[in-house]
Structure formats: C-alpha cells, structure tokens
Amino acid sequence: MLSATFRVDGRTALVTGAGSGIGRATAIELAAAGSAVGCADIDEQSCRSCAEEITAQGGTAFSYSLDVRSAADFTSVASNLLERTGRIDILANVAGAIMARGPVLSMRDDEFEEGLTLNLKSFVHGCRAVGAAMIIGGGGSIINVSSGTVDGRAPNLGAYSIPKAGVLQLTRTLAMELGRDGVRVNTVSPGYISTSMTAAHYRNADGTVNVEQRNTVDSEHSAEIPLGRPGQAREVATAVTFLASDASSYITGQIIRVNGGLAMPL
Ligand code: NAD
C-alpha cells in the first residue's frame, strides 16, 4: 500500500491548463491522491469535462474559466476556490504554449511579449494569487511546469524557451522568499511528452492525427531518449503530485526533469 505521505487528502489544489495534456493528468492525479481540485483553463468546456471526470470518479472538483495571462482572472479564481474549500494548499502552474517560432533577431516585439506573458508572467500571477492564502494556511506547495528546452537545444523557440528559463529563476526566488512560511516551490521540467502540444508536429490540416507522421516524429525523438520512447502526461502528473505531497517535505527550489533521460545535467 502507498505510504500516506504520498497522499494529499483534505487539501485543495489549483491546476492551470487542466483542460488538456499534462494539466488534465495532473488534476486527475491530485484528485486521486485525495485533493479537492480547481480545474482551470482558458478552454471552458475542456476544464469542465476534466472536473466532471474527477467528480464521476468520486473526487471533488470545480471548473474555472481562466486566462492565465490575466492577474485579475487568477485573483478571482483563487478567491472563489478559497471561499468554496476554505484553503489553497497546492498550485500547479501548468498552462503554457509555443506561440511564435523564429530567430530572436527577427522576432517582432509583440511576438516576444506574447511568449513572455503566457509562459512566464502568468506563472507570477498564479503564485501571487495563492501565496497569501498558503501563508495564512501555514504552508503549501507550488509546482511550476517549465520545459526541457531550457536544457539548451531550442533554436527558433526563444519566445518559449527564454520565459521557461525564467520560470526556473522564479522558482528559486520564491523558494527562498517563502521557505520560512512553509511554502515549497519547485519546477517540473518535461521532456518530449505526447499531448496535443506535441501533436502539432503531426496533425493533418483538418485537425486529425496523421498516424504515419506521428510514428516518424516519435521515433526521431525516441532515438535521442535513453528510455527510447515519448513520455505520457500521467508520468509528469505523478512527479507534480509527489512534489505536492509531504513525501517531498524537504525539497524546495529544485527542478525535477521528467524526460526519459533526454538531458542529464549534473
Ligand atoms: P496541451 O496543449 O495539451 O495543454 C495546454 C493547456 O493549456 C490547454 O488545455 C490550453 O487550453 C491551456 N491554455 C493555453 N493557454 C492558456 C491560457 N492563456 N490560460 C489558461 N489556459 C491556457 O499542452 P501540454 O503538453 O499538456 O503542456 C502543458 C505544459 O507543459 C505547458 O506549460 C508546456 O509548455 C509544458 N511542456 C510540455 C511538453 C510536451 O512535450 N508536451 C514539454 C515541455 C513542457
């Protein structure tokens, strides 16, 4: 039987990007480990279906339409969740996306700004929206999802990888600033994970998956991955859940790479 320290019973989590991929798997995993979950996403229908799935499995979940680029949106979602459950113990900042591609020197200002807002400023908004509640509640755990692109091999993805590198420093800074209040702050950095984000590499024009192209892209990536395959969203979600639980009570300011060994910095 799983040690109770890995469970998060009686806690409340806010998960962004809960409509799809890693965020959805995280919301479901946290709920299975005992937490009430606020499932938030810009796509209202998808986060509602995530909350419904959790409820159907006997868990507690609430659905929130949230644009992480808006600090005001975050504040109102956090205060509603607080009203409903009386606490916020866990924040999984997951929502993010690759927007503009291209070399830094030729990127337009608005493209770079858009990447910064979605992939870094939004993480700051999330931490600020829940930080006070965690401190008043005696502690908490914030998990910021960064990206394997910060390990160095991401030409033409500056509007994504540069903000994602900022997420690491945000994690370290907050870990120092909030440690005495019992709030731990860590980063999970996924490698190549099969989600709708990676499916962009092998989608047909009508949105369906081109299976042949998927197999080619997956095997190209897998050739460089020591475990020899893409990761699954649930494999990232379990790392987030570990960091949310007391099983990681002495871990803060750290980065956990869920990448099948793709990068192994010392
Ligand atoms: P995904 O596309 O499956 O899910 C992303 C979710 O974020 C979607 O539900 C989308 O609606 C939501 N979202 C997008 N913009 C939003 C906004 N402004 N406000 C609220 N929600 C918004 O992608 P995923 O692969 O699950 O990615 C989740 C996170 O993991 C992202 O931060 C991504 O950068 C990171 N990541 C993914 C991979 C990978 O290989 N899939 C690798 C490294 C990092």
Side-chain angles (χ1 to χ4, degrees), residues 18-229:
S20 172
I22 294 168
R24 189 182 181 100
T26 296
I28 290 167
E29 196 63 32
L30 282 168
S35 184
V37 183
C39 304
D41 202 288
I42 196 168
D43 180 341
E44 195 170 355
Q45 206 182 328
S46 66
C47 61
R48 193 177 320 121
S49 100
C50 179
E52 283 168 1
E53 185 176 336
I54 290 171
T55 311
Q57 289 169 0
T60 304
F62 311 97
S63 167
Y64 292 103
S65 164
L66 163 75
D67 183 346
V68 293
R69 296 169 293 185
S70 159
D73 260 26
F74 248 125
T75 307
S76 90
V77 166
S79 71
N80 184 281
L81 189 58
L82 203 51
E83 235 168 67
R84 281 168 135 156
T85 67
R87 53 192 305 128
I88 299 181
D89 311 278
I90 300 157
L91 168 65
N93 262 328
V94 185
I98 296 173
M99 312 289 276
R101 291 172 189 264
V104 170
L105 292 193
S106 55
M107 188 167 290
R108 293 197 319 266
D109 263 4
D110 62 304
E111 291 175 324
F112 192 62
E113 195 72 44
E114 198 175 37
L116 266 181
T117 304
L118 179 58
N119 294 306
L120 177 56
K121 273 177 84 176
S122 68
F123 284 65
V124 178
H125 297 328
C127 295
R128 291 167 96 151
V130 302
M134 286 184 175
I135 292 169
I136 291 166
S141 175
I142 295 174
I143 301 101
N144 294 319
V145 170
S146 179
S147 160
T149 55
V150 305
D151 289 319
R153 296 192 295 176
N156 300 318
L157 283 179
Y160 175 74
S161 63
I162 296 168
K164 285 290 194 185
V167 167
L168 301 190
Q169 194 56 24
L170 171 68
T171 294
R172 293 189 189 107
T173 303
L174 282 176
M176 288 187 287
E177 292 176 357
L178 299 177
R180 293 288 199 279
D181 294 302
V183 180
R184 298 182 296 106
V185 190
N186 291 288
T187 296
V188 165
S189 181
Y192 182 68
I193 312 296
S194 299
T195 67
S196 62
M197 181 187 242
T198 38
H201 297 299
Y202 44 74
R203 257 204 206 102
N204 296 313
D206 64 359
T208 56
V209 167
N210 180 327
V211 176
E212 202 179 313
Q213 208 178 333
R214 181 189 64 197
N215 294 342
T216 308
V217 173
D218 278 359
S219 65
E220 276 166 18
H221 278 88
S222 300
E224 297 191 43
I225 299 171
L227 288 183
R229 62 171 175 87

